[in-house]
Amino acid sequence: MLGSVALAGCSGNGGDGGDGGDGSDGSDGSDGSDGGSNSLEITGVWSGGEQESFSKVMDFVEESTGMSLEYFPRDTDSLLTGTLMDYESGVSSADIVVMPSPARIISDAQNGHLAPVGDAWNADDFAVDPSRVTVDGEVYAAPFKMDLKPGFWYRKSFFNEHDLSEPENWDEFMTLLDDISAIEGVDAPIASGNGTGWPLSDITEGFFMRQEDGASLQQGLIDGDASFTDDRVATAFDEIKTLHDEGYFSQTRDFGVQYEYFWDNSLPLYFMGSFTPAQDAVQDPSDLGVFRLPGVDGISSSVNWFTVPTYSDNVDAARDALSSFVSAEGQQVWVEDGGFIASNTEVPDDAYEIEVMANLPDLAAEVTVVPDLDDALGNPFQQEFWSVLKGLWATPDTPTGDITSALDDAHEETLND
């Protein structure tokens, strides 16, 4: 289970990490620590309710390690581009950087920006393969929060009120969308979350996996064994365009804002990740239900990876804190708060106190779990994918051939880098 998820946030400390070094310590990829201090800075993409949950995990780590921790949220674009600019200048964005993209982690490690952290976690106790973040035998990240992208979330009270049920096949799905469209107060059946483009990519990948051998198609696109000239990719986009033609997609808004419309039932279906119960707008997680897009034989997943920049003055302390964060005890703190799936398999099943979260692993076990496509591939494909999807949602009559051609070019370029 691999990949990414992000919440909009402010740029926090502006990207220089405060305590980050000037590149003179650790820039050669060695230890990078002269003892430093017991104060560490962390930057990641969690804000709002997720930041509150993460702060509880920080409290646990502070108590177990004696360190003082400070967190600075960033939005996705700031995290991906700001940290890279810092690294290339020999500056640490923070002592621990929470990175959603395995492709970026590999690139950063190859360029000497990250310290090895394989000794901070035992892969035997995790559901994530360290090979995803391994370069020349060294592991450069540790898995923390996992997010499944199971399908469409809905409010059970809304379905009960209007005598709606989860669809078992494509025809029932289309009927459901038509029935929802006819309900007073509904703007559109499906919320179109936007930001940098990634929420649109999640639902698009769902349509890829609705095709014949869809999970294998997605994995093949990641591995380079499939291409965007595959007829199944074109069919997926044609299905998305059909939903646009029927008016089933809402206008795009920031994905966090769309949760407000989702919760007031004006956009009753939202294809989103397992972080949904933790959103501020979700007032009662027990009212949530979720169903897979009919016909899929796979769902995607993402992981938030903890990394330690070589430019930090506190590499050793950061490794110690990282080990505490990803421990079963550390992850269980957020599991019990909701909206979190642990990467550490030692977290007990009964820690999932929200019913829908406890059911997600079973929902995933019925199909093949594959990595998030654009996070696994990275740039230039990721940026092009997001750009093309934002263009499609803005102009749904864009010819399918134009879409797949642009993505195929970016895909080939990425694979050949």
Side-chain angles (χ1 to χ4, degrees), residues 137-160:
E138 293 281 8
V139 178
Y140 285 91
F144 183 56
K145 184 176 187 284
M146 294 200 306
D147 289 303
L148 295 174
K149 315 294 180 65
F152 289 99
W153 295 83
Y154 65 92
R155 293 188 64 182
K156 291 187 287 187
S157 59
F158 179 83
F159 269 44
N160 290 337

Side-chain angles (χ1 to χ4, degrees), residues 118 120-131 139 143 343-345:
W121 61 292
N122 181 358
D124 291 340
D125 296 333
F126 288 77
V128 179
D129 190 336
S131 64
V139 178
S343 60
N344 192 313
T345 57

Side-chain angles (χ1 to χ4, degrees), residues 43-54:
T43 190
V45 294
W46 301 308
S47 64
E50 288 197 309
Q51 183 175 345
E52 292 178 10
S53 296
F54 182 57

Side-chain angles (χ1 to χ4, degrees), residues 147-150 202 205 209 218 298-302 369-372:
D147 289 303
L148 295 174
K149 315 294 180 65
D202 286 347
E205 291 174 30
M209 286 182 281
Q218 172 119 334
I299 60 174
S300 66
S301 68
S302 63
V369 178
V370 294
D372 180 280

